Structure formats: structure tokens, C-alpha cells
């Protein structure tokens, strides 16, 4: 009687980079803390219209700028508006700018880098020389010119920031694709008659997602800082809308008399940026293929 072949043990079963990455990420407490903080702020931003303690434009000019109290946990601004409410509404704009502008840069950068890296030759040379030219331009001046010429609104802010943040993403993806295009599974797909677009969509882009995801988590803080800087200069979000950057800008003007106007929105922005960097560092370590050998 032939003995049946024993089932493979758990350690012998096949696994994937994503499953291994999730296992390693769960062991990184700082990365999980960052993920929890980001999720918390996203939930607060989504629920702000229903959970904010006061109306967004509700003022009390007689109260004016008052320090934190039982009625106003984070104090009020010079117009008597509740700071906690304004920070909660500001989170909606800051996080929206961060995620949407980064998403726009992600789409453009991944497609541009993938096509350039896979096509090679003159197509690659022309596409990447264009990237080099855009890199040579002072991107802050480029954004300022866009805001001055076309006006200042939140949609243009998304387009302006996304239009300059995709360049590094394109270079990263191009390098990954150049390493992948001569692999056996790509040559096999080509020999089976698959079109270049199908090879790019089904094989190349999915295999570049590890570095792309890591860089995306590190791009969001840069975008949020850029929006804060533009708002500080008066070129970003305009009243009655608000963002953390705009609140910080207003707080700087009166930080000696009313320090809470700067401290609390500054803390909200700083905590979010730290959380995104913790998550980015954790994803970088978790999705490192060399780590699977340890």
C-alpha cells in the first residue's frame, strides 16, 4: 500500500510578498500607530459636519480670542469661533489635498514611468528628458504662477500640486520597469502574443506597486506641507474655507498674544505628518523583498 503524500506544512506553503509584508508590518508598532492615527483623523474629517461642537462660521465677537475652557476645549480665535471646530473642518481640506493631489501624481507618475521604462529607446529618452526639464524648473514658482494666472481655488490647488509631484514617482517606476522588462515572465507574455498595453497593465504595474506604495505614503506629507506653505503665503485655501496651513498662518500673526491659535493646528499637522512617516518607514521595511530572507 502506497503511503499518501503528507500535506505541506504551513511553513512549506507558498506565500506572497504582500502576505509577508503584512506579517512584518504587524510587528512594527510605530507603523501600526501611524496607521491608527491616520485612520482616526480620516474618520474625524468624514464625520465633522455631524460631530463638530459648533457651526463652522458661528461667531461670538464679544467672546473674541479666549483660551481653552470647558465650553471651548481648544479656545476660540479673534472672531470668537471655536478652534476645535475649525481644526476639524480644516482636516477635511488638508487631508483631501494630501490624498487627492498625491493620487493624481500617482496615476501620472506610474503611467509615465511604466511606458518610458518598457518602451525604451527614443521614446524613453524623449519622455525622461521632459521630466528632467520639469525638474529643472523651480516647482514653487510654477505653482505660484498657476495660482496667480488662473485664480485661487481648491481644484486648481489639486492640479498644481499634482502636476509637480509626479516627477520622482515616474523615475522610480521607470527604474523598476527597466529591471522587470527582461524577466522571463515578461518575455513569455510577449511571446504569447499579448499586447504591450496588456503586459503593462497586468504584469508590469502590479510588480512595481511595492515601491510605489511606500513612496506614496512619503509623498502625502510633502503635499500637505506644500499646501500649508502656500496657505501661509496666502496662495492656498482662502476664507471662508480653512485648512491646517491657513490656521497656522493666522496663528503666527498673533502667536504672542494668543499662542493656542498656533499650537493646536500645528500639533494636528505635526502628528499627522509623523504618523504618515512612521507608516511609510514601516511599509518600506515590510515590502522589502530582502526582508523575506531573514
Amino acid at each position: 500500500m502506497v503511503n499518501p503524500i503528507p500535506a505541506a506544512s504551513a511553513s512549506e506553503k507558498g506565500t506572497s510578498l504582500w502576505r509577508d509584508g503584512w506579517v512584518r508590518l504587524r510587528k512594527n508598532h510605530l507603523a501600526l500607530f501611524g496607521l491608527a492615527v491616520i485612520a482616526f483623523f480620516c474618520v474625524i474629517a468624514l464625520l465633522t459636519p455631524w460631530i463638530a461642537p459648533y457651526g463652522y462660521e458661528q461667531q461670538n465677537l464679544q467672546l473674541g480670542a479666549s483660551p481653552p475652557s470647558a465650553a471651548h476645549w481648544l479656545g476660540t480665535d479673534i472672531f470668537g469661533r471655536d478652534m476645535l471646530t475649525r481644526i476639524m473642518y480644516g482636516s477635511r481640506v488638508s487631508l483631501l489635498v494630501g490624498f487627492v493631489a498625491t493620487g493624481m501624481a500617482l496615476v501620472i507618475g506610474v503611467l509615465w514611468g511604466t511606458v518610458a521604462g518598457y518602451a525604451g529607446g527614443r521614446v524613453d529618452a524623449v519622455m525622461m528628458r521632459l521630466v528632467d526639464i520639469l525638474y529643472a524648473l523651480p516647482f514653487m514658482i510654477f505653482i505660484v504662477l498657476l495660482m496667480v494666472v488662473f485664480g485661487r481655488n481648491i481644484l486648481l490647488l489639486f492640479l498644481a500640486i499634482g502636476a509637480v509631484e509626479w516627477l520622482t514617482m515616474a523615475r522610480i517606476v521607470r527604474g523598476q520597469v527597466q529591471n522587470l522588462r527582461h524577466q522571463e515572465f515578461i518575455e513569455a507574455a510577449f511571446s504569447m502574443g499579448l499586447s504591450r498595453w496588456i503586459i503593462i497593465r497586468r504584469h508590469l504595474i502590479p510588480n512595481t506597486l511595492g515601491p510605489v506604495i511606500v513612496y506614496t505614503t512619503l509623498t502625502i506629507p510633502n503635499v500637505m506641507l506644500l499646501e500649508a506653505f502656500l496657505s501661509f503665503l496666502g496662495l492656498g485655501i482662502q476664507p471662508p474655507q480653512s485648512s491646517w496651513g491657513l490656521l497656522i498662518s493666522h496663528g503666527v500673526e498673533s502667536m504672542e498674544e494668543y499662542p493656542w491659535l498656533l499650537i493646536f493646528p500645528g500639533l494636528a499637522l505635526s502628528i499627522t505628518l509623523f504618523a504618515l512617516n512612521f507608516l511609510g518607514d514601516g511599509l518600506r521595511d515590510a515590502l522589502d523583498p530582502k526582508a523575506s530572507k531573514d
Side-chain angles (χ1 to χ4, degrees), residues 128-146:
M128 298 314 296
R129 291 303 75 74
L130 179 59
V131 170
D132 293 338
I133 292 172
L134 294 177
Y135 250 120
L137 298 175
F139 69 93
M140 185 59 67
I141 295 179
F142 176 70
I143 291 178
V144 170
L145 288 176
L146 284 178

Side-chain angles (χ1 to χ4, degrees), residues 49-66:
W50 297 277
I51 64 176
Y54 295 91
Y56 175 66
E57 298 182 355
Q58 183 176 343
Q59 300 181 0
N60 187 346
L61 296 178
Q62 295 181 348
L63 182 63
S66 61

Side-chain angles (χ1 to χ4, degrees), residues 28 46 51-52 57 74 88 97 159 162 208 211 226 236 241 253 289:
N28 191 324
L46 290 173
I51 64 176
E57 298 182 355
L74 302 184
M88 291 171 67
V97 169
L159 297 176
T208 63
L226 182 56
Q241 292 180 321
E253 298 173 357

Side-chain angles (χ1 to χ4, degrees), residues 270-285:
S270 299
I271 291 172
T272 303
L273 296 181
F274 274 118
L276 286 167
N277 279 285
F278 289 153
L279 179 60
D281 290 341
L283 287 173
R284 180 195 61 202
D285 297 336

Side-chain angles (χ1 to χ4, degrees), residues 50-228:
W50 297 277
I51 64 176
Y54 295 91
Y56 175 66
E57 298 182 355
Q58 183 176 343
Q59 300 181 0
N60 187 346
L61 296 178
Q62 295 181 348
L63 182 63
S66 61
S69 62
H72 302 278
W73 292 356
L74 302 184
T76 58
D77 64 7
I78 58 176
F79 298 106
R81 295 175 294 191
D82 182 66
M83 281 299 297
L84 176 59
T85 299
R86 289 182 60 76
I87 290 173
M88 291 171 67
Y89 273 97
S91 69
R92 296 167 65 86
V93 175
S94 292
L95 292 174
L96 188 63
V97 169
F99 286 108
V100 172
T102 301
M104 178 181 172
L106 175 67
V107 172
I108 298 174
V110 169
L111 290 177
W112 192 278
T114 303
V115 172
Y118 185 66
R122 293 183 178 179
V123 175
D124 178 40
V126 172
M127 294 180 70
M128 298 314 296
R129 291 303 75 74
L130 179 59
V131 170
D132 293 338
I133 292 172
L134 294 177
Y135 250 120
L137 298 175
F139 69 93
M140 185 59 67
I141 295 179
F142 176 70
I143 291 178
V144 170
L145 288 176
L146 284 178
M147 305 294 284
V148 171
V149 173
F150 296 102
R152 293 175 290 185
N153 58 71
I154 190 170
L155 178 60
L156 182 61
L157 187 63
F158 294 156
L159 297 176
I161 296 177
V164 297
E165 289 293 334
W166 65 271
L167 301 174
T168 302
M169 183 79 72
R171 283 186 168 182
I172 292 174
V173 173
R174 172 181 174 267
Q176 293 290 319
V177 171
Q178 284 184 327
N179 292 330
L180 289 171
R181 67 177 181 174
H182 296 302
Q183 298 292 325
E184 289 81 359
F185 70 96
I186 298 296
E187 295 180 352
F190 184 77
S191 65
M192 291 174 61
L194 298 181
S195 66
R196 288 190 174 185
W197 172 244
I198 293 179
I199 293 175
I200 289 174
R201 181 168 55 89
R202 292 185 180 179
H203 299 287
L204 291 177
I205 291 180
N207 281 281
T208 63
L209 288 182
V212 165
I213 290 175
V214 174
Y215 183 72
T216 298
T217 59
L218 299 177
T219 301
I220 296 174
N222 293 334
V223 171
M224 295 178 67
L225 281 174
L226 182 56
E227 181 277 324

